[in-house]
Amino acid sequence: MKNFLLSLLCTIVFSILFDRFTRPSRIGWRGYAIHTLIILIFYGAALALTGGFWVACVLTGAIFLAVVIASNIKFRVLGEPLVFSDLAVAASFLRYPRFYLAAIPSALKIILLPAVMIVIGCVIAFSSITPAPHLAGLAVSLVALSVVGANWKLYWRSSFMPRPNLQADITQYGLLSVLIVYTLRWRATPSPAAVPPLPALKPDQDPAPFLIIIQCESFADPTDLVPGHFLPPLQALERLQKTSDEYGRLSVSGFGAYTMRTEYAVLCGRSEKDLGFRAFDPFLTAEDERTFGLPNRLAALYEKRLFVHPHDLRFYGRDRLMPALGFTTLVGPDDFKNAEKSGPYISDKALGDYLHNRILTTDEAELIYVVTMENHGPWDAGRLDATDPLAAWNHHAHNGDALLESLNRTLQECGRPAHLIFFGDHRPSIPGYVHPAPVRSTPFISLTYNIEKAAAPATACTITPAELHDVILKKMTKNEK
């Protein structure tokens, strides 16, 4: 009994101490009741599995400490603490560890494996088959789980963290409470009612124009990316703004990652306010919202609707989600096996060549949504023989600008009606240069070819990715008239 109570007390105390290191910093002691109940659930489960009081203490503490460290690393690199939806990228970490390992400090990489081996060794050496500890752990876990469940049904569900406010909630209630409550809120979020597709064109109407949408990886304005550090401007973007329908800043929510948030918003047009807790990773529930997908809504206008991405389409489940959203054809890495690379990834020039050939050879206009890959991090030292990571990113950013130029030339010369939408998915996270900040916008531009448009020049504006979706739909509605 003494070991049981002492290990239980140590588990609670150390978990609270670990929680105090969470970033953003905790303010006050609110939320530690639910934190303690959740820790007891995990301690009880560990004890029920291992039968060792101190094994359960070490295992619970080690797992929670690892969660806190992971959250703090993410907060430092991306400006956002750990959220429940981050578990969805576990498979991606195993497939492409280099995307994530660059963010982990070298000292932590060195001690990570020995620490894991020590914890595993403790579990093996000090577990017990004596029935009493197993039953005690099961009882602790079930009692704590019952208390959490009862409080959720009677009190918390109606008033506790009713809307996502991630950093404020963590400072008040702690990381563990937020992870669990946000998960429950996410699971309880209802799917929206279906929306209708746009009607087919009438016989006397002109055919739909080409619709080319380019989501350019880590595409940002170099001139305002690093204050006090001059980088040359994107010449094609600046020049084409003078002849555009609309241009300006796209207010994306993510920094350095979370491509899927921007991608989903442009494709489906649902704002973060509409999504609620689904906004952290809208791809997890996108199949429930498939009628919002731009390809589904425009299916009557375009027989062929292509999604093009020269990287593993299993990332974010695109291989499954894009057909559900209405794309008829997926063009992936197998279609670019012999294509030119720039750095470790398929070049933007290769994508431009593919689109050039597609536009010139296809008989009917198509909807083509492209997600580029060239400027994906990490921007390791020596990439493209650049002197530093920022120089490597800048080289790729200007290749993205060259892609915009080449598409503009192709659409001008082909003489066919077309709309081109070009935007950045998020700003890059470059250690030592580009850090999380309140301003996270990326450039966007909308261009029209061989279609009558307003004579007045466009003025710069700031819109959200969901509003960009509306801009695209309005273009197609105008085309119907």
Side-chain angles (χ1 to χ4, degrees):
M1 179 61 72
K2 180 180 177 182
N3 281 333
F4 171 54
L5 294 176
L6 191 56
S7 66
L8 187 62
L9 179 61
C10 286
T11 301
I12 295 170
V13 170
F14 277 102
S15 73
I16 290 174
L17 290 175
F18 295 155
D19 187 66
R20 301 297 293 183
F21 286 100
T22 304
R23 298 291 177 268
S25 300
R26 293 277 273 129
I27 300 174
W29 293 83
R30 296 183 66 183
Y32 277 115
I34 186 172
H35 169 93
T36 300
L37 286 169
I38 295 168
I39 281 294
L40 289 178
I41 293 172
F42 286 100
Y43 169 85
L47 181 57
L49 288 172
T50 65
F53 297 118
W54 293 105
V55 171
C57 175
V58 170
L59 189 59
T60 304
I63 292 174
F64 182 58
L65 179 59
V67 169
V68 170
I69 292 173
S71 182
N72 287 351
I73 291 173
K74 184 189 167 195
F75 185 73
R76 174 178 56 82
V77 175
L78 303 181
E80 182 176 295
L82 206 65
V83 290
F84 64 92
S85 59
D86 289 322
L87 292 176
V89 304
S92 300
F93 177 84
L94 295 175
R95 290 193 191 113
Y96 300 101
R98 72 184 304 270
F99 286 0
Y100 309 93
L101 288 176
I104 301 176
S106 299
L108 188 58
K109 291 178 186 177
I110 294 172
I111 68 172
L112 185 60
L113 184 58
V116 171
M117 297 303 295
I118 289 172
V119 172
I120 293 174
C122 288
V123 171
I124 294 173
F126 299 106
S127 293
S128 170
I129 59 173
T130 304
H134 292 274
L135 294 174
L138 184 61
V140 168
S141 190
L142 290 176
V143 169
L145 189 60
S146 298
V147 174
V148 170
N151 276 281
W152 175 256
K153 290 183 178 180
L154 295 174
Y155 307 110
W156 297 336
R157 183 162 53 185
S158 61
S159 60
F160 194 48
M161 304 186 214
R163 290 170 295 279
N165 192 356
L166 185 58
Q167 294 196 26
D169 286 337
I170 283 185
T171 59
Q172 289 191 56
Y173 304 111
L175 178 62
L176 191 55
S177 301
V178 168
L179 286 172
I180 299 301
V181 173
Y182 274 37
T183 301
L184 294 173
R185 293 287 186 200
W186 173 75
R187 290 178 60 86
T189 301
S191 296
V195 294
L198 268 64
L201 294 172
K202 296 177 182 178
D204 60 341
Q205 289 179 312
D206 293 330
F210 262 99
L211 180 55
I212 314 294
I213 305 170
I214 309 294
Q215 176 181 309
C216 196
E217 173 65 41
S218 299
F219 189 71
D221 185 350
T223 61
D224 72 354
L225 191 65
V226 185
H229 194 112
F230 174 77
L231 291 172
L234 301 171
Q235 294 183 354
L237 179 67
E238 287 196 352
R239 179 174 54 80
L240 292 174
Q241 287 172 351
K242 300 174 183 177
T243 58
S244 66
D245 310 322
E246 292 186 62
Y247 74 93
R249 296 175 178 269
L250 197 65
S251 294
V252 302
S253 67
F255 170 83
Y258 289 120
T259 295
M260 87 297 259
R261 295 180 184 173
T262 305
E263 188 171 325
Y264 170 89
V266 175
L267 281 172
C268 296
R270 297 193 70 215
S271 68
E272 293 191 359
K273 182 179 179 181
D274 294 333
L275 286 166
F277 290 90
R278 289 184 170 188
F280 293 106
D281 188 347
F283 272 19
L284 295 179
T285 48
E287 283 192 89
D288 294 341
E289 303 165 10
R290 63 180 66 197
T291 61
F292 289 82
L294 197 64
N296 277 330
R297 300 206 68 186
L298 299 179
L301 306 183
Y302 296 99
E303 180 181 354
K304 295 180 181 179
R305 304 176 297 280
L306 283 70
F307 181 84
V308 182
H309 182 45
H311 191 65
D312 191 344
L313 292 174
R314 293 172 298 173
F315 215 87
Y316 297 138
R318 290 187 177 107
D319 58 337
R320 172 177 47 83
L321 290 176
M322 294 308 154
L325 293 178
F327 288 101
T328 59
T329 304
L330 301 186
V331 179
D334 290 344
D335 299 278
F336 293 92
K337 282 184 177 179
N338 300 316
E340 172 189 336
K341 289 187 175 182
S342 180
Y345 308 114
I346 298 299
S347 70
D348 289 347
K349 182 180 183 303
L351 282 173
D353 292 342
Y354 171 85
L355 293 170
H356 175 84
N357 294 332
R358 185 90 195 181
I359 292 167
L360 294 184
T361 59
T362 187
D363 294 329
E364 296 182 355
E366 299 173 340
L367 187 166
I368 307 177
Y369 192 103
V370 180
V371 179
T372 74
M373 190 65 190
E374 176 180 328
N375 207 2
H376 199 289
W379 297 273
D380 302 319
R383 179 165 166 172
L384 298 175
D385 297 323
T387 54
D388 57 34
L390 182 61
W393 172 85
N394 186 54
H395 179 94
H396 292 304
H398 281 81
N399 284 350
D401 192 53
L403 171 62
L404 174 61
E405 178 64 80
S406 71
L407 286 172
N408 176 66
R409 189 182 309 112
T410 295
L411 293 172
Q412 281 182 332
E413 294 175 355
C414 76
R416 303 175 69 172
H419 293 298
L420 171 62
I421 315 294
F422 196 102
F423 63 94
D425 59 350
H426 55 71
R427 293 189 176 199
S429 175
I430 306 178
Y433 292 99
V434 188
H435 306 285
V439 177
R440 299 184 173 191
S441 58
T442 62
F444 84 92
I445 189 169
S446 170
L447 297 156
T448 295
Y449 303 86
N450 305 304
I451 301 173
E452 185 178 349
K453 61 179 182 176
T459 57
C461 61
T462 299
I463 62 174
T464 66
E467 289 170 336
L468 183 57
H469 172 96
D470 295 337
V471 167
I472 296 169
L473 282 182
K474 286 178 182 177
K475 289 180 181 295
M476 307 318 298
T477 303
K478 287 180 182 178
N479 185 68
E480 291 178 8
K481 296 179 180 179

